[in-house]
Amino acid sequence: PMTSTDIGTVFEIAESIWGPDYYESPEVFLQRLEWWPAGCWMYEDKGYLISHPSQYRCPPKLNSFVKYHYTDCYHIHDICLLQEAQGQGIADNILNKFWDWPVVTLVAANETATYWSSKGFQPKKQLDYGQYMVKRYDHNN
């Protein structure tokens, strides 16, 4: 699990991966953690996951706080892994956490849409900071 003392490391990892084009303040990361701690995980000092329930028709804006009166999907806000943690199946293990949600969303930034398509996510719409993508789980099979 992630704690508030991890936010500095989260911010450093995000800055090293995303750079200034996808800037989010430490306060945004902290707000997500405080709102939905069950969706926030550290992977040693090599990466993190921030995720939370969301509204399907309202993808979160970059560098903004979220507040929902209802939720109807699960949103992967950020999976950020330093190069030494990539290729170890961490993202696949993360995706397995969400199988009980009927709809999972994310925004694919920095040319990652092809990777997410290979994991079953379909493009929904282009946002100013990436491709909004959706994966639907069929729980009837």
Side-chain angles (χ1 to χ4, degrees):
M2 183 184 293
T3 68
S4 60
T5 60
D6 293 318
I7 296 301
T9 302
V10 167
F11 182 73
E12 289 174 13
I13 293 170
E15 287 249 286
S16 73
I17 300 287
W18 301 121
D21 292 340
Y22 300 98
Y23 175 84
E24 291 193 289
S25 72
E27 292 80 15
V28 167
F29 297 125
L30 183 59
Q31 190 262 341
R32 299 296 197 285
L33 172 62
E34 290 174 346
W35 182 63
W36 198 258
C40 299
W41 290 83
M42 290 297 299
Y43 298 95
E44 300 174 3
D45 287 338
K46 295 179 173 59
Y48 66 87
L49 161 71
I50 295 180
S51 62
H52 52 80
S54 187
Q55 292 176 351
Y56 174 70
R57 299 204 187 288
C58 300
K61 294 182 193 271
L62 188 65
N63 198 34
S64 65
F65 297 123
V66 295
K67 183 177 181 182
Y68 300 109
H69 298 289
Y70 74 92
T71 59
D72 58 5
C73 70
Y74 199 82
H75 185 73
I76 300 172
H77 176 85
D78 216 357
I79 296 176
C80 229
L81 300 171
L82 295 176
Q83 189 167 3
E84 60 264 28
Q86 295 175 9
Q88 298 177 19
I90 294 172
D92 288 332
N93 289 336
I94 289 170
L95 290 176
N96 289 334
K97 293 177 186 267
F98 309 124
W99 68 269
D100 56 339
W101 285 83
V103 177
V104 177
T105 63
L106 56 81
V107 177
N110 271 6
E111 314 286 326
T112 61
T114 301
Y115 171 81
W116 291 113
S117 291
S118 75
K119 301 299 179 187
F121 285 83
Q122 300 296 317
K124 184 69 177 161
K125 69 178 176 178
Q126 184 66 42
L127 304 176
D128 60 350
Y129 67 103
Q131 179 70 47
Y132 185 56
M133 301 185 79
V134 176
K135 182 173 184 174
R136 296 182 185 280
Y137 289 89
D138 183 0
H139 293 101
N140 296 322
N141 291 333

